[in-house]
Amino acid sequence: MIASTRSASIRIIGFGMGPQHVTPEAADALRSCDYVVAAAKSADDPLLAVRRQVCEEYGVELVAVPDPERDRDPASTTATAGYDQAVREWHAARVAAYRDVLEQRGGTAGFLVWGDPSLYDSTIRIVEQLGFDFDVIPGISAPQLLAARHRIVLHEVGRPVHVTTARRLREDIATGQTNLVVMLGSAPDLEGLEDWQVWYGANLGAPGEQLLSGRLGELGEASLRVAREHARAIDGWVMDLYLLRGPR
Amino acid sequence: MIASTRSASIRIIGFGMGPQHVTPEAADALRSCDYVVAAAKSADDPLLAVRRQVCEEYGVELVAVPDPERDRDPASTTATAGYDQAVREWHAARVAAYRDVLEQRGGTAGFLVWGDPSLYDSTIRIVEQLGFDFDVIPGISAPQLLAARHRIVLHEVGRPVHVTTARRLREDIATGQTNLVVMLGSAPDLEGLEDWQVWYGANLGAPGEQLLSGRLGELGEASLRVAREHARAIDGWVMDLYLLRGPR
């Protein structure tokens, strides 16, 4: 951890899927910030637009930081080691970009996290490397909104729910998991799971929201892919997840 | 499912750990309710008091429904089958009590859920049995607040998190789980896990909030029990949970 020259502090604020999920606690944290720092993938980054909307609602300035390029070359990212390294380098570049802003401006900087900072989000790890004081405010996470939309509990009575990534799904099923929330999906390969139930959601809370549920063999993988592309066509981005439950 | 005689609809609303977590979406849902139904374990039920506070903030009447007695006789609840049946009977009695209120009053009834309705909460299952139309609004869950307070992500990079109950902990560890959120704990038996890291929280968001973290062998089980009793002494109730992570 490298101590920085100018004093600043950071508030990591989960804002769920948009302004409808900003808790009073998160709103207070936002109002206490001098500015909010957010990565901008492009000039018209649609995910930045939602953060901008949240900042405007609470009267906080948004400082857009151009996002470093991430190495998505399949040759270097297929193996887990290559993937891990690509993620690490991308984080390091992000850290440097954020440090520049915080050292220049000082004060209290907010970091707005889509969903909740505790699940498949790198903000806490990035902020730890900045070496400033920080706190964390939770936000509604995607698995919760998925469950709410489908009006389900994420597990059967008294049983566990295993939250994992699409990349690890096969491995986790092989060790006996039969009730999984699968995040960070891209093209789900669900062959052999025809008898499993799926509850799927894409772009939850956004205009392009898509919901599907049923026996996977009846729904078909193709319908999940169609829903995914439909969400992307409407919103200009796509984030999806699903609950998978094996037959008893 | 038994259809009811009088028309009513239900909104199941997660409110996190208190008014600080009521999202704008949940606030809108609350304002749309004619009344909120809540179980009262006793006249001075401290968990009811928090619900009352939320209702007052949004100008909704709270209708307290005396909670049926739950069979906690160890002889009939030690075995899983006995436990399951005790829970089922308790749910059936709750359903009957709620149905009486909804059939008498009709309109839109809110059910306030501590934390989030998707995790170890029976409200959705109870409401399904009432046979009225319903929707679900997510709320901040305890594992998220635990992670926020400890400023951690619930899993290592790209790895899973297994959410389970204290009752199932040993079984889940035996199948290879090394990163678990453990809920519904009572007296944690953590023998043999001395090298595991624990991040513990009791009564998160309440005045009696307790946080502890460290290597379990250094902390000691006793310190977790002391924290638990300390939380109960302050708030008059206790709900705790922890993240357990095995050595790599």
Side-chain angles (χ1 to χ4, degrees), chain B residues 170-183:
Chain B
R170 289 289 163 179
E171 187 179 333
D172 290 348
I173 287 177
T175 64
Q177 296 308 320
T178 57
N179 188 63
L180 310 98
V181 170
V182 185
M183 299 180 71

Side-chain angles (χ1 to χ4, degrees), chain B residues 119-197:
Chain B
L119 275 183
Y120 302 107
D121 184 85
S122 54
T123 309
I124 290 179
R125 291 188 185 103
I126 286 171
V127 164
E128 278 175 340
Q129 292 174 55
L130 287 169
F132 297 109
D133 231 24
F134 71 97
D135 68 351
V136 181
I137 312 290
I140 299 294
S141 69
Q144 297 176 282
L145 194 51
L146 179 76
R149 290 291 201 257
H150 286 292
R151 308 186 310 167
I152 55 170
V153 175
L154 288 172
H155 52 81
E156 294 176 282
V157 178
R159 293 176 66 86
V161 52
H162 192 76
V163 185
T164 193
T165 65
R167 185 178 286 268
R168 285 188 52 101
L169 177 60
R170 289 289 163 179
E171 187 179 333
D172 290 348
I173 287 177
T175 64
Q177 296 308 320
T178 57
N179 188 63
L180 310 98
V181 170
V182 185
M183 299 180 71
L184 309 184
S186 46
D189 161 28
L190 302 172
E191 210 192 305
L193 305 177
E194 288 76 11
D195 282 335
W196 290 47
Q197 290 290 123

Side-chain angles (χ1 to χ4, degrees), chain A residues 19 22-24 26-28 30-31 53-61, chain B residues 24:
Chain A
V22 175
T23 64
D28 285 348
L30 267 166
R31 288 191 203 97
Q53 194 190 341
V54 170
C55 287
E56 276 167 11
E57 212 156 297
Y58 296 96
V60 195
E61 180 194 0

Side-chain angles (χ1 to χ4, degrees), chain A residues 160-183:
Chain A
V161 52
H162 192 75
V163 185
T164 193
T165 66
R167 186 180 285 269
R168 286 189 52 101
L169 177 60
R170 290 288 162 180
E171 188 179 333
D172 290 347
I173 287 177
T175 64
Q177 296 308 320
T178 56
N179 188 63
L180 309 99
V181 169
V182 186
M183 298 181 71

